[in-house]
Amino acid sequence: MGFEKKDLDVLLVPSGLLLMFVYHLQLLYRYLHQPHTTCIGFENFNKRFWVQAIMQGERRDIGMCLTVISSNISAATFLASVSLTLCSLIGAWISNTNNNFFVSDLVYGDTRPATLSIKYISLLICFLLAFSCFIQSARHFVHANYLISTPSTSIPPKSVELAVIRGGDFWSVGLRALYFALNLLLWFFGPIPMFACSIFMVLFLHYLDSNMAPLIEHEFDGRQMVKKVEQRVSEMATAIHMPSHQN
């Protein structure tokens, strides 16, 4: 029994998926133990400073902060809508039994109906996972919006940090699900394009996820800044009143 073209799916597809999973496990390890070497950890460090600066700043600057949070909510909602729309299109495609493009001889690989069903289900799972992650991202950003806009100084900054960081983490997982969906989408054209896309995706993501820049040393203390401003104002007021007393 010789090697047939349908055997390529058994060899190349698991190899491509394993390559993607191993890379993301390595990225997760770096994120947990060496966060400064990843772009996600670098961005989270800056987000923590941003939250600290906002919570210690003046209440009149809240409008700018809410604008930033609202832009993240809009982006997460848009991608969630796109993911749900693609899920609907896949369902409509599955129900269309007259479409035989992916079972033609143009696809070099396994074109049996059972394998085609696995392709559809795998792609649908990725888009559903992306939809769920983007919805959770929008949920956490909305929660952060409520905490920041609360007219009280008793809100701990750690709670806002947790909401913002979790929103960003769910956003990142949703994007990763879309990257996996792109690989599985190319599987419809054969296992060779899917495996080639996996290699290119790992190299591309490694370039995007690696951070070589040093952490920015932020220095911000709202109370000290307020004291300095009040001291400066009092000095200016003293300088203004001194000529009138001399006269």
Side-chain angles (χ1 to χ4, degrees):
M1 184 176 180
F3 187 83
E4 300 180 2
K5 67 176 184 178
K6 65 180 181 180
D7 297 329
L8 287 175
D9 291 77
V10 180
L11 177 64
L12 295 182
V13 174
S15 300
L17 292 178
L18 180 63
L19 190 64
M20 291 284 291
F21 277 115
V22 169
Y23 168 75
H24 282 90
L25 288 177
Q26 182 259 351
L27 177 64
L28 179 62
Y29 177 83
R30 289 169 55 198
Y31 173 71
L32 294 177
H33 296 86
Q34 297 176 336
H36 61 280
T37 61
T38 64
C39 286
I40 300 176
F42 182 78
E43 292 172 357
N44 288 344
F45 177 80
N46 293 324
K47 288 176 183 177
R48 290 187 179 94
F49 164 74
W50 180 79
V51 171
Q52 292 289 338
I54 292 305
M55 299 302 292
Q56 295 180 11
E58 297 183 4
R59 302 300 298 178
R60 61 185 180 185
D61 298 330
I62 295 300
M64 180 183 63
C65 313
L66 298 183
T67 302
V68 175
I69 297 295
S70 298
S71 63
N72 286 276
I73 295 173
S74 300
T77 304
F78 172 75
L79 288 180
S81 302
V82 170
S83 301
L84 186 61
T85 302
L86 292 175
C87 290
S88 302
L89 290 177
I90 292 173
W93 188 280
I94 294 175
S95 63
N96 185 12
T97 56
N98 296 325
N99 196 335
N100 297 321
F101 176 77
F102 293 119
V103 296
S104 63
D105 294 334
L106 297 176
V107 179
Y108 191 80
D110 193 354
T111 57
R112 292 177 297 179
T115 304
L116 193 61
S117 299
I118 295 175
K119 296 178 182 179
Y120 282 125
I121 294 174
S122 301
L123 189 61
L124 184 63
I125 290 174
C126 284
F127 283 126
L128 287 176
L129 177 61
F131 168 75
S132 302
C133 290
F134 288 130
I135 287 296
Q136 289 298 318
S137 176
R139 168 179 169 266
H140 284 289
F141 282 130
V142 169
H143 182 58
N145 204 339
Y146 276 110
L147 292 176
I148 293 176
S149 60
T150 301
S152 175
T153 58
S154 61
I155 301 297
K158 288 294 183 182
S159 299
V160 184
E161 283 183 18
L162 183 62
V164 173
I165 296 299
R166 282 186 176 178
D169 288 342
F170 275 110
W171 169 272
S172 298
V173 176
L175 289 180
R176 303 294 155 165
L178 293 181
Y179 293 148
F180 272 93
L182 179 59
N183 275 1
L184 295 175
L185 183 62
L186 290 181
W187 186 19
F188 283 90
F189 300 95
I192 297 178
M194 185 268 179
F195 183 73
C197 180
S198 299
I199 297 177
F200 173 77
M201 190 71 70
V202 167
L203 297 176
F204 181 68
L205 290 178
H206 177 71
Y207 172 75
L208 292 180
D209 294 330
S210 298
N211 175 55
M212 302 299 294
L215 296 177
I216 302 174
E217 295 295 335
H218 298 295
E219 293 182 1
F220 183 87
D221 190 344
R223 291 171 294 181
Q224 293 181 2
M225 183 173 293
V226 170
K227 290 180 180 179
K228 291 181 180 179
V229 171
E230 292 178 351
Q231 183 179 0
R232 182 60 179 169
V233 171
S234 60
E235 291 177 356
M236 292 177 61
T238 304
I240 293 174
H241 289 292
M242 281 182 62
S244 61
H245 289 302
Q246 292 177 358
N247 294 333

